[in-house]
Amino acid sequence: MESSKRIILAVALSALILIGFNFFLSPDRHKAVEAQNTAPAPAAVVPPAPPVSASPVEEADDHQEHRLKVVSSDVQGSFNLRGARFDDLELIRYRETIAKDSPLVRLLDKAGSEKANYLVIGWENAAGFTTRLPNEQSLWKVDGTQTSLTPETPVTLYWDNGAGVRFIIHLAQDRHYMMSVQQEVENHSGQPVSVYPFQRVQRDYLPEETGSFVAYEGPIAVMNGKLADEGYKSLRTDGNGPGHVSWTDSGKGGWGGITDKYWLTAIGADASSNVRAQYSYLPEGHGAYRVTFTSQEPQVIQDGARLGQGSHLFAGAKEPGLLRYYGRKLNLPRFDDSIDFGWFSFLTKPILFLLHWLYAHIGNFGLALMVMTLMVKIVLFPLASKAAQSAARMRLIAPKVTEIREKYKSDPMTMNQKVMALYKEEKINPAGGCLPMLIQAPIFFCLYKMLNLSIDERHAPFFGWIKDLSVPDPTNLFNLFGLLPFDPTHIFSFLHLSVWGAALGITFWLLQKHSMVSMDPAQARIMQFMPIVYVFVMSSFPAGLLVYYTWNNVLTFLQQHYIERRTSLPVPLGSRKGKAPRKGGAAKKKGP
């Protein structure tokens, strides 16, 4: 009973400590973001509209590009004035590879390009109305002489339909990845106008990497507090009707877009707006994946009136602290869930934030990972101690168990009875180490998942030849660690035995050497090959995972060694008359 209470107490304390980091050690480089007014509200940037022209505005018949430059501390690109599309954006702090001259990560690209990915702002007519609306060929004009959209210089765009209706877009870029949008319609046509403002994320290609069981990639949205991640395949197969809509939901506020492993392109609805979100797929050409937010009720603009609606466009890196800030500041529910924290998000989130905090203070991601692993080991020590003590006691009586099995191998029933009687006499529960291990398993799975999600690990160097912890260790024994000019993995993918992979295999062998003592001989022979399997299977894993597993195995080995030296049997083998128990091993036998 007492031991059960200790386990429950240890679990509660572990959870409190880990979850506490979520509130008290929230990262990050964005501590001062709020003071910088990172994301101004759309309504805050509403300069007077230009006077409405009564004459039609002719669309340019050339195909020349007209663009508004977009610049902030973290992005550079341009807004396409033809069609009101945000289709050109590079992330200043992220490159494609670790090479110094590597191109910047391009997140948005125009329609017709190889990886077309862009955001569209527009309107649709309500039923029964035929107002001439701006389309993908409409050329918007900048109000004033500004040529750049920056955090200090918001911009107003306008387009006149030639019939007394002017469409206006106010844009405000923050210091990082968020653009605030205010769409307005000014009506001087002499009759009412009824329209639905909309914003759309569109991707005209299918990425090579479409996610895994560890990290979701694809269309994503949160409406009414519920997360909808349907996947690219669902958009292609579940679409129905003329719009090929595969999913839709309505509510007040919310957000949605397309997420990649490290990047996100999304629309955030104003918290007070009633909107309808939907996923759709257009099969024409290479196929287009769309996530669209449309006003749920039409805006009716009477003659002489002006009406608008706000929204937000996000295009940038999935930095946990910044996502949390935007979610809180702009009322975007669960915005940080664009990072796939999984079922155990209550554990994964604080672990990820703790790692980010350590990385910010230590400066080396690999060292931060090792420190965090040590901290987790210390927090989970009571549980690990319980499991290790049970395993150590099983090893102490292993010789006696082997003796019983040999003696009664022709009588399995008697053999099992004698073994269970020995367990009972020595007060050992054969399953005593299972519960602590089951409790620890989700935590270590969260650690594994977190290493696959952390943008801090991307292009983060360690020491020596490890220049990027997010890719496999480049060394390989089969080409003499690069001395021979060929790559054996082109012949067979498992022909990759890296230095860190070998180190991992050695640590697995050390741990196995301890656990095999109490195994059945046949099982032990099979398990002898497991370290070799681990080496060849896991050498292709990202180097960060190998560093984590190797360091974790070293800590586990030291922990087990420490616990074993302090472990003894309640009733020493060979003595049943109160003889003092021996620590660290079984008492000497005096008889069978």
Side-chain angles (χ1 to χ4, degrees), residues 19 67 96 103 168 210 326 408 474 507 566 581:
I19 294 173
R67 292 187 171 272
E96 292 289 349
I168 305 161
T210 56
Y326 283 137
Y408 299 99
T507 59
R566 300 173 59 88

Side-chain angles (χ1 to χ4, degrees), residues 2 27 30 85 114 136 181 190 200 239 272-274 288 301 310 335 343 377 410 425 468 481 505 515 526 564 571 576:
E2 185 64 26
H30 305 290
R85 295 185 176 191
E114 184 180 354
E136 65 275 4
V181 179
R200 176 185 300 132
S272 61
S273 300
N274 290 312
I301 303 97
F335 195 50
W343 292 347
K377 278 289 186 182
S410 60
E425 188 174 18
D468 183 358
F481 304 113
S515 61
I526 296 175
E564 285 173 6
V571 183
R576 300 295 180 268

Side-chain angles (χ1 to χ4, degrees), residues 547-564:
V547 171
Y548 160 67
Y549 278 124
T550 302
W551 176 239
N552 183 66
N553 286 351
V554 170
L555 293 178
T556 302
F557 177 80
L558 295 175
Q559 179 178 263
Q560 288 182 351
H561 184 68
Y562 170 78
I563 293 171
E564 285 173 6

